[in-house]
Amino acid sequence: MPKVTYALPDGTTHTLDVPCGQSVMDGSVRNNLPGIVAECGGSCSCATCHVFVDEGGACFDEPTDEERDLLEYAEGARPDSRLSCQLILSDACEHVRVTVPDTNG
Ligand code: FES
């Protein structure tokens, strides 16, 4: 099962097993980690699930135009920014590490 490490705004890191088919956002929300708010529930319309992908991002699909548009308005967006609800884990993902910015809420 893929492992996802979340580096949170409070400086803590949490590594979780997240099943294939779930998103990086799902893994955070289902385990009650703070930082990924996911206001829209994963329908790519709020950008409160913004993360920076530090490692392992190659296993994800490229961002859609919709995701790119939203990221343009996300506070503090960088080239490694993604919306975590769009990062669906698959067998190609062994270990992913993301940093959660403190600007999602
Ligand atoms: S949860 Fe709203 S865009 Fe990802």
Side-chain angles (χ1 to χ4, degrees), residues 17-52:
D17 293 322
V18 183
C20 292
Q22 289 190 13
S23 68
V24 171
M25 177 277 273
D26 289 325
S28 174
V29 169
R30 289 175 193 215
N31 289 282
N32 297 315
L33 293 183
I36 295 179
V37 177
E39 224 163 63
C40 78
S43 57
C44 199
S45 59
C46 73
T48 62
C49 64
H50 178 205
V51 296
F52 305 120

Side-chain angles (χ1 to χ4, degrees), residues 81-101:
S81 289
R82 293 293 308 261
L83 297 180
S84 58
C85 68
Q86 304 301 301
L87 302 177
I88 308 297
L89 293 151
S90 67
D91 285 332
C93 304
E94 275 175 35
H95 184 218
V96 174
R97 182 186 158 95
V98 298
T99 295
V100 180

